[in-house]
Structure formats: C-alpha cells, structure tokens
Amino acid sequence: MRVVIQDDYEKMCEWAANYIADRMRAHKEDRPFVLGLPTGSSPLGVYARLVEKNKAGEISFANVVTFNMDEYLGLPHEHDQSYWYFMHDNFFDHLVDMKPENINILNGMTDDPEGECARYEEKIASYGGIDLFMGGIGVDGHLAFNEPYTSLTSRTGLRDLTTDTRIVNSRFFGGDPEKVPAQALSVGIGTVTDAKEVLVLISGHNKARALAAVVEGGVSQKWTCSALQMHNAAIIACDEASCGELTVDTYKYFLDIEKGERL
C-alpha cells in the first residue's frame, strides 16, 4: 500500500488528479480506459481539476468508460440528491468529450434491485474490469455504501444504511435523517478490490481514525476500507489533517518513502 501525504485538501486533489490523468494518457490498449468513481465531498476537487485538464486538451474522455460506486434506492435521476444528478452536475456535464453512453450509474428506481446489481457486475466484466477505482471513505471507514461488517468479498448489491450514515448525509437533505433513503445500491468491497488500481481519498481530522485503521490496523469487517491492505496496487492520498491518529513512525515512514511525490 502507498500512502501519499499532502499538506492540505487542495494539494491532495491536485496529486490525485495528476495521477489519474497520467494513467489515462498511459493507457494504450484498444479497449477503453475503465474508471470507477465516487460521489461525496472528497472527490470534488479532483473532479474540478480533471475538468480543467480536459478543457485544456491535456486529457481526453472520448475513450473512457465510467462506473459509479453507488446510488440511493428510490431517488429518480432528476432528484438533486441522487448520485446521477451529482455526477452530471459536478463532473460529466463539464467534460467536452465524455460520451453519455459510456457513463454507468446504478438505477435507483429499479423494480428489480438484485437484477440491476447483477447486470452492473456483468457490464463491468464485459469491459475487462476496472482499471482504476477512485473512492472515498466515511468516518467509520466504509467504502462506497459498504457499512461496517459488510463482507470483504461482497459484490454489487442492495445495502441497508446505518443510522450514523443517514445522520451524516442528512446535511444534504435539510438536516433530516428521515429524508435520507434507508437503502442504496452499491458496488461491493470485492468489486472495488478487483480493480487493477484503487485510489482512495482521505481528508480532514474527522477521518483520522479511519485512516489509522486502514493503514495500521488489521484487516477487519469492522473497517471495510481495511480490505485495501490486501490489494497489490492500493494508494491512499491524504492530507495532514487526516494523519492525526497515525503513529509518528508510520507517518515519518510514508513521508520518507513518498518524498518524491510531495507537492
């Protein structure tokens, strides 16, 4: 596992966007570059920088296929808190050459959640898997909507959201947790770790316990993000504020070994 520590959120996002852009440019295969994407506040800075690079002609999304991590169950596309809406409003609608047919987001209005999730897994497989999956984690270490104690080999499926997650997300629903859907469709931990590379963004002091768990703790269903320890090409891009719970030796180790990556 690589842990790339940057001074602040802005520099973390700059590093991550540069890394993704480099991987996109290096992709020489005939098939599309397949990119897994999250929602939430963590990736917003990365999306803004990727849009800038795209508009400047530095990178192209013409041969990129995307798969989003999750979607609330029961929210239509036009709902301003659906993840379909979020992704188009914050990213896809600003790219100059992203093909709509290459955008894949789970259908939260499906009448057949199990079938929708199975089709999603099949479509990912049809492209030869995901090349790079970017993600963020919750304060309890959940990755996508894989709450604590979700199987570390789980696949895309229906997830029940914890009260804590609904409370945290209620800031987007007028502060009322009851307005937050109680279920979501989400890729599994196994779906994420099947990707050739996984890049997880962690920022802010409120994520410090989660960062320490994924880096220094054992592999555990309690911290679903800890499955990254078993991935051969997992990278955590984080800021100083999120490093508060790391031991001094761990912090110094990653600063030393990644010193060439410091912005």
Side-chain angles (χ1 to χ4, degrees):
M1 178 190 293
R2 293 181 62 188
V3 179
V4 179
I5 303 169
Q6 297 294 318
D7 291 340
D8 53 34
Y9 174 79
E10 296 301 324
K11 289 185 177 179
M12 179 195 77
C13 291
E14 185 177 351
W15 186 91
N18 287 338
Y19 187 87
I20 294 169
D22 287 344
R23 284 295 183 266
M24 290 172 60
R25 285 189 289 258
H27 185 75
K28 303 300 182 184
E29 298 180 33
D30 291 336
R31 70 177 186 86
F33 183 79
V34 185
L35 183 61
L37 298 174
T39 55
S41 57
S42 295
L44 287 175
V46 178
Y47 289 151
R49 284 159 179 79
L50 290 175
V51 167
E52 290 173 1
K53 292 177 183 296
N54 178 242
K55 289 182 175 178
E58 297 176 20
I59 55 173
S60 170
F61 280 83
N63 195 38
V64 173
V65 171
T66 65
F67 285 90
N68 260 78
M69 279 188 157
D70 40 30
E71 177 61 281
Y72 286 117
L73 188 67
L75 290 191
H77 289 172
E78 60 271 15
H79 192 289
D80 63 4
Q81 293 307 319
S82 77
Y83 289 160
W84 189 98
Y85 186 100
F86 176 99
M87 290 303 303
H88 285 77
D89 188 47
N90 290 289
F91 190 44
F92 295 137
D93 287 351
H94 305 282
L95 298 171
V96 299
D97 58 356
M98 185 75 212
K99 298 175 181 177
E101 62 269 26
N102 286 347
I103 297 170
N104 295 280
I105 302 175
L106 286 154
N107 177 15
M109 295 300 291
T110 180
D111 293 327
D112 180 14
E114 290 186 4
E116 170 69 7
C117 293
R119 286 189 291 271
Y120 208 66
E121 286 277 343
E122 291 170 2
K123 193 165 185 181
I124 291 172
S126 74
Y127 284 101
I130 291 173
D131 293 295
L132 191 156
F133 219 134
M134 179 172 67
I137 64 172
V139 295
D140 59 3
H142 71 258
L143 187 60
F145 271 129
N146 296 292
E147 304 279 24
Y149 305 106
T150 302
S151 169
L152 300 184
T153 61
S154 57
R155 311 306 302 186
T156 303
L158 182 63
R159 304 286 189 265
D160 294 321
L161 306 188
T162 65
T163 299
D164 285 347
T165 292
R166 295 178 75 194
I167 289 172
V168 169
N169 289 359
S170 68
R171 67 190 189 276
F172 304 116
F173 290 82
D176 185 357
E178 292 301 316
K179 292 182 179 178
V180 181
Q183 293 181 306
L185 305 179
S186 174
V187 297
I189 295 296
T191 312
V192 175
T193 55
D194 273 356
K196 295 179 179 67
E197 292 185 277
V198 181
L199 170 61
V200 171
L201 310 171
I202 304 179
S203 67
H205 182 70
N206 64 328
K207 303 288 181 69
R209 286 187 65 225
L211 176 59
V214 67
V215 175
E216 297 180 329
V219 176
S220 168
Q221 286 178 297
K222 181 177 180 180
W223 298 91
T224 55
C225 59
S226 67
L228 297 177
Q229 294 180 26
M230 306 297 289
H231 197 285
N232 287 329
I235 304 171
I236 293 174
C238 58
D239 61 7
E240 287 280 355
S242 65
C243 294
E245 296 291 331
L246 293 177
T247 61
V248 173
D249 283 349
T250 298
Y251 174 80
K252 288 183 175 179
Y253 168 81
F254 284 110
L255 278 185
D256 177 63
I257 201 167
E258 296 286 349
K259 56 181 176 284
E261 297 294 339
R262 190 86 172 196
L263 292 178

